[in-house]
Amino acid sequence: MLVTQTESNQYFGRQLIGKIQSGQLAALDKVCSVNQDGSFHENAKIQRIVKKYGMNEVELKRAYAGDIISFAGFQNSTVGHTINQPGKEYVIPSIPI
């Protein structure tokens, strides 16, 4: 998943937003983020997954490829980072400005 936006939640802190490109993501999964150059950035455990429907939020236990979601668990990852399984260094390229 390529992180396209971030948001803040008063209970869960930083949340990352993006579309899952392949695979699936579940609450309590261990994942990592990598920079655009492919270097490791941070490990985390998914604390919460949210999908938005208009102004409403629905908390999910699992999200699949194609879902646009927001999730909590990372402290320092940001826009442009790719979320992977631990040990993987696959990078989804972002469009440079």
Side-chain angles (χ1 to χ4, degrees), residues 36-91:
Q36 281 295 301
D37 63 6
S39 62
F40 169 81
H41 183 73
E42 179 180 16
N43 280 323
K45 187 192 299 188
I46 302 301
Q47 300 299 319
R48 174 181 193 231
I49 303 172
V50 175
K51 188 167 185 175
K52 294 187 179 183
Y53 291 98
M55 296 299 291
N56 299 322
E57 291 185 346
V58 176
E59 193 163 340
L60 304 174
K61 292 183 180 179
R62 185 173 298 275
Y64 301 92
D67 288 341
I68 298 172
I69 60 164
S70 170
F71 63 90
F74 285 97
Q75 298 295 317
N76 300 312
S77 294
T78 190
V79 175
H81 289 171
T82 301
I83 308 304
N84 287 319
Q85 293 176 334
K88 303 252 176 151
E89 295 178 354
Y90 178 75
V91 174

Side-chain angles (χ1 to χ4, degrees), residues 21-45:
Q21 297 294 322
S22 65
Q24 56 186 332
L25 187 65
L28 304 180
D29 277 356
K30 292 181 181 177
V31 292
C32 71
S33 68
V34 296
N35 297 320
Q36 281 295 301
D37 63 6
S39 62
F40 169 81
H41 183 73
E42 179 180 16
N43 280 323
K45 187 192 299 188

